[in-house]
Amino acid sequence: MKGKKEFAAFLNKKIGNELTLEQIEGLIEKPKQLKQGDLAFPCFQLAKIYKKAPHEIAKELSSGTLPDQFERMEPAGGYVNIFFNKNSAASELLLKILNEKENYANHPFGNEKTIVFDLSSPNIAKPFSMGHLRSTVIGSSLAAISEKCGYNTVKINYIGDWGTQFGKLICAYLKWGEEEKVRANPIEELTKLYVRFHEEADKDTSLNGEGRLWFKKLEDHDPQATELWIWFKDASLKAFQKIYDLLDVHFDSYNGEAFFNDKMDATVQELQEKNLLETSEGAQIVKVGEDLPPCLIKKTDGATLYATRDLTAAIYRMNTYSFDQAFYVVGHEQSLHFEQVKRVLYKMGYEWSDHMHHVPFGLILQNGKKMSTRKGRTVLLETVLLEAIQLAEQNIKEKNPELSGVEEVARQVGVGAVIFHDLKNEKGNDVEFSLEQMLKFEGDTGPYVQYTAARIETLLKKGNFEWNLPAKFSIGDESWELLSVLNDFPGVVEQAFKRKEPSVISKYVLKLSHKFNHYYASVKILNSAETNQRLALCASIQTVLKEGLRLLGIQTPKRM
Ligand code: ARG
């Protein structure tokens, strides 16, 4: 049921040279209400060119023989409204969806070029925070959307396993740590030690120096420091893996900050050779313009910094993956950092730094404040997920006591609720943390969409639907609206990619679910003369709902 192009071509013949085909296509819009037409062409621009009233022009344009797929055309004010030939347009679209299934709305424009995603990237020895959840789900969704648009993706979990904080942690562990306790509950205990370090350092500032010293030792491969660090890292990764398993997310690389430890010298040397490095108050810096503070490359004590590692990682990624674009899915509080890194790379002569994009997102707030591990203000993601799953299980058992495989369904639904809650709003907004909101299964939630897809599954089973289109096809107004929404899906996917905005997809699947449930309540689907063609419509809706959810990183249970 494409049609924009055909409508534009038809108008182009009548309009002549005043507007190009592309301009006409760009002007064509979809009327708010379907009864006004399926597409509309506004005549206001032409009115200016011809110095005539728009409604006169609309009248003149609305004559002639239409291409087959259109039924009629009429002027309305300054618009030409056009109506599809519903039966043929509907069967064409449904046939396409039933044939292409989950490949419907795939785009070729990525041309198999590579996008490297920097996502999730939690810090070891600290809890996996809600902020890292945001990066994980936004990043995974954008990667799935990019693949649907024809790109190859590389998903890199850039683990935060390097930096002065590990010096502090090692120092704290050696002073107050107990091996047994850390073994039993690594992240919790290490976090406590880290918090304690800061409390004690507030009283006795010499501790900070000791912490720095331990980091220096770690950078210099001191065996004791290294052994502790490896232990903390392994234990942390194991804990993170539990969360990734629940979320069902996967990465292509876990090369984190430490991976670049032995590669940073080369970067620093290159900066030196290119005469970009300057000494300022004993530290090594690169100036990046009047409007931004300089980028810190080495501290006074010679220790490297976050930016040094990101510079090195970017160069490494370019050499390894020859990426077309690199997306850094990281909270907006790190915007300055990424801007500095990009500018340094640009000064080094790497024009591809223009292809690096910070994809920022809003904070999760608690009582209006940023969550902070240091101040002990964080909520553990694992707790949230497990609670969501438990609640889902209760719900399912109440509604559907006979359902088999409840555990897996509960995981899909509980996790679906949490992911959808995150992805349903524009990613740039700050969100106030609310477990209650996250665990809601009714209203505009992930489980509501999953439930809609499962309800269709039951219909298809009961009606023995065979996944093909009935020979005779005649569509009523109530289905026309749904078809028009199905027809939007390719454009929605493209929008989501271009805006780097998964919420475009979540809003769309909600809309489709609402429309379907309305249809379901008002139309008899089973045991009607039209059952077959109505089921074909339902099957197409289900295909698109499932695919939409998949692009968000949410699975669809067959029953729930
Ligand atoms: N580990 C960092 C943090 O939790 C995020 C890393 C983001 N990625 C990057 N390439 N700097 O704040």
Side-chain angles (χ1 to χ4, degrees), residues 224-321:
Q224 190 187 9
T226 308
E227 191 187 335
L228 286 172
W229 173 80
I230 292 181
W231 172 30
F232 299 161
K233 177 168 170 163
D234 286 349
S236 307
L237 288 182
K238 240 185 231 152
F240 297 155
Q241 193 54 47
K242 275 198 226 152
I243 291 169
Y244 296 136
D245 287 345
L246 287 175
L247 292 172
D248 198 34
V249 294
H250 307 271
F251 301 97
D252 300 302
S253 160
Y254 284 84
N255 286 342
E257 294 186 45
F259 177 78
F260 298 97
N261 188 28
D262 61 354
K263 301 177 178 59
M264 280 181 285
D265 282 349
T267 312
V268 177
Q269 203 181 334
E270 192 180 330
L271 286 168
Q272 206 140 31
E273 282 161 11
K274 292 182 173 166
N275 275 324
L276 297 171
L277 220 48
E278 293 179 40
T279 307
S280 164
E281 296 168 38
Q284 307 278 300
I285 61 158
V286 176
K287 290 200 176 135
V288 290
E290 295 295 306
D291 55 331
L292 294 185
C295 184
L296 269 167
I297 305 294
K298 272 193 167 188
K299 289 193 193 173
T300 326
D301 62 5
T304 57
L305 288 121
Y306 189 46
T308 330
R309 290 185 282 282
D310 256 326
L311 286 170
T312 311
I315 298 170
Y316 176 87
R317 287 172 190 175
M318 185 35 116
N319 292 337
T320 311
Y321 305 111

Side-chain angles (χ1 to χ4, degrees), residues 118 121 123 132 158 160 257 306 310 328 330 334 337-338:
D118 184 303
S121 313
N123 301 320
H132 295 117
Y158 185 66
E257 294 186 45
Y306 189 46
D310 256 326
Y328 291 82
V330 187
Q334 293 194 24
H337 163 76
F338 287 108

Side-chain angles (χ1 to χ4, degrees), residues 42-57 78:
C43 302
F44 306 99
Q45 201 161 326
L46 278 179
K48 274 189 210 141
I49 300 175
Y50 292 142
K51 303 203 174 26
K52 246 190 193 174
H55 72 269
E56 299 274 332
I57 298 175

Side-chain angles (χ1 to χ4, degrees), residues 176 230 244 253 272 324 422 490 497 512 518 540 543:
W176 316 296
I230 292 181
Y244 296 136
S253 160
Q272 206 140 31
D324 177 60
D422 192 296
F497 175 77
L512 185 57
H518 183 74
S540 303
T543 302

